[in-house]
């Protein structure tokens, strides 16, 4: 089983938006990128989970409604918001979608599980920072699903074949044949693999509205779109099942 997940966000810790992008233009460009991912998913009949960053969720309700009506799951991605903001955003989104928001993703800024439980989430997707040094380190956390404070905790998946995580940067940079072998070897040993990518990876590097380190500017735009399409074709050819997070977990 593959759990396909996508972040709708601005790169974490990036507070330097380029001057030639207004706030409205930034949101419109994020929506455009996300719709490209939606189209690829629709072409293959895959359902995924989209984690929308708390700070922009209220500005993309129309997009999220489209995603939800297409059958995909909507969850929240907390970069650095406080509990009050998360609760209000969750409530607003649930009213708009007329569906409960079950999951929350977090990276470097992590809230205690007891607080997340109070906000009525039922699962947490923990991911780690995907920097260039991933080649020389393993993930620092468990890689199996576990329960804590009555929450289901879903860590990043890691390949036993290469010891690389199935994160955004590995998908962006690893040769596709090698990535496919990672995936097959992992599924021989594990019941599932969680893959995640970002809507901002669809930007062409010359059109990026924010600053990225040099190593994250490679294979963006159409090249990354082609990688997603190649991955989806491979999943189809291998007849691997794909699921939303909530369907697999519950």
């Amino acid at each position: 089983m593959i759990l396909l997940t996508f972040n709708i966000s601005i790169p974490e810790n990036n507070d330097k938006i380029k001057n030639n992008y207004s706030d409205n233009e930034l949101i419109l460009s994020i929506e455009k990128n996300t719709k490209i991912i939606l189209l690829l998913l629709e072409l293959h009949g895959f359902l995924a989970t989209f984690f929308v960053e708390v700070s922009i969720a209220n500005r993309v309700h129309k997009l999220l409604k489209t995603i939800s009506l297409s059958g995909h799951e909507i969850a929240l991605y907390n970069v650095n918001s406080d509990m009050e903001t998360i609760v209000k955003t969750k409530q607003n989104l649930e009213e708009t979608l007329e569906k409960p928001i079950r999951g929350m993703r977090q990276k470097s800024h992590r809230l205690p599980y007891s607080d997340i439980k109070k906000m009525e989430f039922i699962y947490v997707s923990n991911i780690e920072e995907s920097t260039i040094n991933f080649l020389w380190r393993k993930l620092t956390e468990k890689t199996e699903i576990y329960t804590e404070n009555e929450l289901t905790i879903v860590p990043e998946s890691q390949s036993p074949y290469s010891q690389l995580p199935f994160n955004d940067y590995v998908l962006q940079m690893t040769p596709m044949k090698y990535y496919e072998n990672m995936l097959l070897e992992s599924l021989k040993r594990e019941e599932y693999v969680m893959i995640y990518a970002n809507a901002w990876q669809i930007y062409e590097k010359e059109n990026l509205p924010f600053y990225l380190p040099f190593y994250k500017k490679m294979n963006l735009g159409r090249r990354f779109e082609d990688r997603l399409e190649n991955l989806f074709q491979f999943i189809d050819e291998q007849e691997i099942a794909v699921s939303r997070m909530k369907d697999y977990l519950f």
Side-chain angles (χ1 to χ4, degrees):
M1 179 72 71
I2 293 177
L3 309 179
L4 281 178
T5 70
F6 297 92
N7 298 330
I8 305 173
S9 65
I10 298 169
E12 192 166 357
N13 302 322
N14 198 321
D15 56 359
K16 294 184 178 180
I17 305 300
K18 293 181 179 178
N19 293 332
N20 59 332
Y21 265 83
S22 68
D23 185 69
N24 187 53
E25 288 172 329
L26 175 63
I27 295 300
L28 288 174
S29 66
I30 290 173
E31 291 178 341
K32 180 180 177 181
N33 289 350
T34 306
K35 287 176 181 177
I36 291 173
I37 296 173
L38 278 176
L39 178 59
L40 290 174
L41 290 168
E42 182 181 353
L43 289 173
H44 291 271
F46 295 158
L47 294 180
T49 299
F50 286 80
F51 290 88
V52 58
E53 186 181 337
V54 172
S55 66
I56 65 172
N58 286 327
R59 289 181 281 170
V60 291
H61 273 202
K62 185 177 179 180
L63 171 67
L64 298 179
K65 188 77 170 179
T66 298
I67 294 172
S68 180
L69 288 174
S70 298
H72 305 289
E73 177 187 6
I74 302 296
L76 288 177
Y77 177 22
N78 182 35
V79 172
N80 54 17
S81 299
D82 56 34
M83 281 185 65
E84 182 180 357
T85 303
I86 296 170
V87 169
K88 288 181 179 178
T89 302
K90 183 175 182 287
Q91 290 173 344
N92 289 340
L93 199 49
E94 288 175 336
E95 289 176 6
T96 298
L97 302 179
E98 299 179 341
K99 294 180 181 179
I101 303 298
R102 296 183 172 92
M104 188 175 85
R105 172 165 281 172
Q106 52 185 359
K107 192 187 286 186
S108 54
H109 177 77
R110 298 194 176 183
L111 297 175
Y113 292 142
S114 56
D115 289 346
I116 297 174
K117 181 65 178 177
K118 289 176 184 176
M119 293 186 284
E120 298 184 352
F121 292 100
I122 60 176
Y123 76 85
V124 179
S125 170
N126 286 331
I127 58 176
E128 299 189 26
E129 189 64 46
S130 55
T131 58
I132 197 168
N133 70 350
F134 76 88
L135 288 171
W136 299 278
R137 71 172 179 87
K138 294 183 179 181
L139 294 175
T140 59
E141 299 188 14
K142 300 176 182 179
T143 56
E144 301 87 17
I145 294 172
Y146 62 99
T147 302
E148 189 168 326
N149 280 82
E150 299 182 342
L151 285 169
T152 300
I153 314 299
V154 187
E156 282 190 46
S157 294
Q158 184 176 37
S159 166
Y161 176 76
S162 64
Q163 299 301 304
L164 294 176
F166 287 93
N167 65 24
D168 51 353
Y169 188 54
V170 172
L171 178 56
Q172 184 177 328
M173 295 304 300
T174 307
M176 285 308 299
K177 189 63 179 178
Y178 190 80
Y179 190 91
E180 291 165 2
N181 288 335
M182 282 172 49
L183 193 54
L184 290 178
E185 290 298 320
S186 297
L187 290 172
K188 287 179 182 177
R189 296 179 53 175
E190 307 291 344
E191 291 185 1
Y192 77 96
V193 169
M194 184 188 74
I195 295 171
Y196 79 88
N198 305 287
W200 60 257
Q201 289 174 289
I202 303 294
Y203 284 112
E204 297 293 343
K205 66 178 180 180
E206 60 269 19
N207 295 329
L208 281 166
F210 31 66
Y211 296 97
L212 288 176
F214 74 94
Y215 59 87
K216 287 198 173 182
K217 293 181 181 179
M218 295 179 280
N219 293 333
L220 292 178
R222 185 53 190 261
R223 288 185 177 182
F224 188 75
E225 186 180 336
D226 289 344
R227 281 174 168 266
L228 283 180
E229 173 59 21
N230 290 337
L231 172 62
F232 292 174
Q233 286 183 4
F234 177 76
I235 293 171
D236 267 342
E237 291 166 1
Q238 297 295 319
E239 299 182 344
I240 303 170
V242 174
S243 175
R244 301 176 297 184
M245 294 279 283
K246 64 179 183 180
D247 298 327
Y248 180 75
L249 296 175
F250 310 105

